[in-house]
Amino acid sequence: MPVYSMTGYASAQHSGAPAGSAAEARGGRLGLEIRSVNSRFLDLSFRLSEELRQHEPALRELVAARIKRGKVEVRGYLESTSGDVLRDPSPRLLQRLGALQDQVRTWLPDARPLGIAEVIRLAETDGGAAADWSEALPRLARGALDDLMAAREREGSRVAAMMLGHLRQLRDLVQQAQPLVPQLVEQQRTRFLERWKEAMALADGAAVPETAQDRALTEATAFAIRIDVAEELMRLGSHIDEIERLVKKGGEIGKRLDFLIQELHREANTLGSKSAALELTRISVDMKVLIEQMREQVQNIE
């Protein structure tokens, strides 16, 4: 399965209003835009013109069936392709609206008077039936969703390729660190024992007894255990393998990748804090730079 980004944009238009509607005479055109950005969950919002609001449940169902995560905004609008953008209200309509308004305010004196925008909107439907977009709108939405998913897939492919490249670099860093671990442990054991011998010789002016040597070895071993990062390197390798498997598998992997990236960062931090050599510190810093770059991209994967 492909990897999908949560970022995308698509638009589609349909020319020609349904026959017999008021929009047909004006050459009505239906437009739809879908935008999506990253979000922890699926967050749908709709900005539809007055004539299209009744179709929001159907549009919501179509979008939710294709998209699982992301902040998605759907905008639907109607445009007139004729020269006159606004239709002039007829004298008959204005007379009728005036009479109706007087009648309503006789019974409801506090009723708000009609505004110009409301009169114009009523004029749009005067002299013809309201347009029925129940067939054209879902068809247009499915086409726009296909384009959106294609855009999200293209962006997801780029993110996946970037992540696989970073994973290869992380694996190289782990391999660079592994030979350093036994060397550092042995160096620390030897250095600890030498310093212990020097301290004992200065204190007593005599040879170090066998029990002191055993104690020195015990202390050196405990210190070596504290700086041993073999376990962290093993877990880093395991997390890298799992992330690579998920990226190649594809699908809805964003939340699992986010968790694994956190685990990678934790192990890289521990590696740096336990480091007893400058080379290991450098490797830890390089790891954290790569992991942070991956974290930013993972936030955008569905």
Side-chain angles (χ1 to χ4, degrees):
M1 295 179 64
V3 174
Y4 288 103
S5 167
M6 284 188 281
T7 300
Y9 171 82
S11 64
Q13 289 80 34
H14 172 80
S15 298
S21 66
E24 182 188 22
R26 303 190 305 276
R29 181 172 61 191
L30 173 65
L32 195 69
E33 293 181 354
I34 307 179
R35 308 170 190 266
S36 68
V37 294
N38 61 313
S39 177
R40 293 184 62 191
F41 308 102
L42 179 60
D43 181 9
L44 297 179
S45 62
F46 292 85
R47 297 174 58 193
L48 305 176
S49 60
E50 189 69 29
E51 298 88 344
L52 302 176
R53 287 183 182 176
Q54 60 180 317
H55 303 293
E56 179 178 328
L59 291 175
R60 184 178 294 273
E61 184 177 351
L62 284 173
V63 174
R66 300 288 300 275
I67 299 176
K68 304 306 178 185
R69 285 182 68 200
K71 181 178 177 59
V72 182
E73 180 185 279
V74 180
R75 176 174 175 261
Y77 56 91
L78 296 173
E79 291 182 343
S80 174
T81 57
S82 64
D84 295 329
V85 177
L86 297 178
R87 184 178 182 181
D88 294 334
S90 65
R92 181 184 61 83
L93 175 64
L94 293 175
Q95 184 179 10
R96 184 182 174 194
L97 290 176
L100 288 173
Q101 180 174 253
D102 292 341
Q103 184 178 356
V104 168
R105 300 191 72 180
T106 299
W107 294 94
L108 301 172
D110 296 331
R112 181 177 57 86
L114 282 172
I116 296 176
E118 293 167 320
V119 173
I120 292 175
R121 187 170 64 250
L122 290 170
E124 292 293 311
T125 59
D126 182 44
D132 182 9
W133 300 102
S134 58
E135 293 184 6
L137 185 58
R139 183 168 61 250
L140 198 66
R142 283 190 287 268
L145 281 170
D146 288 341
D147 293 342
L148 178 69
M149 296 305 292
R152 285 164 61 115
E153 182 178 347
R154 288 192 298 270
E155 178 65 20
S157 297
R158 288 192 287 269
V159 173
M162 182 278 298
M163 290 193 63
L164 290 174
H166 284 0
L167 290 173
R168 285 192 293 271
Q169 295 180 59
L170 280 174
R171 189 173 279 109
D172 290 342
L173 290 172
V174 170
Q175 292 174 354
Q176 292 175 29
Q178 284 174 343
L180 299 175
V181 175
Q183 298 174 16
L184 290 171
V185 170
E186 185 58 33
Q187 289 173 8
Q188 289 298 330
R189 285 167 60 91
T190 303
R191 188 178 298 118
F192 198 93
L193 183 58
E194 290 175 351
R195 291 181 178 177
W196 184 275
K197 288 181 179 180
E198 291 173 0
M200 293 295 293
L202 290 173
D204 301 334
V208 181
E210 186 176 349
T211 54
Q213 291 182 354
D214 292 341
R215 182 178 177 185
L217 288 174
T218 302
E219 293 291 337
T221 301
F223 183 75
I225 290 174
R226 289 198 298 273
I227 68 167
D228 188 2
V229 294
E231 187 175 350
E232 284 74 17
L233 292 177
M234 181 188 68
R235 285 197 290 262
L236 279 167
S238 176
H239 295 329
I240 291 170
D241 290 341
E242 179 63 13
I243 293 173
E244 184 176 20
R245 185 189 69 82
L246 288 173
V247 171
K248 291 181 177 179
K249 174 187 174 184
E252 300 170 28
I253 59 175
K255 290 183 178 180
R256 294 190 64 184
L257 287 178
D258 187 45
F259 170 76
L260 289 169
I261 290 296
Q262 294 179 32
E263 293 300 305
L264 273 181
H265 195 270
R266 182 180 293 112
E267 300 301 337
N269 265 335
T270 305
L271 178 67
S273 63
K274 294 175 68 173
S275 173
L278 184 61
E279 182 64 15
L280 269 180
T281 301
R282 180 195 65 78
I283 289 175
S284 171
V285 171
D286 290 345
M287 284 182 174
K288 287 190 281 189
V289 170
L290 289 170
I291 292 168
E292 189 60 33
Q293 291 173 352
M294 293 172 62
R295 185 203 302 274
E296 294 176 2
Q297 296 299 326
V298 163
Q299 300 301 318
N300 204 31
I301 293 179
E302 186 176 49

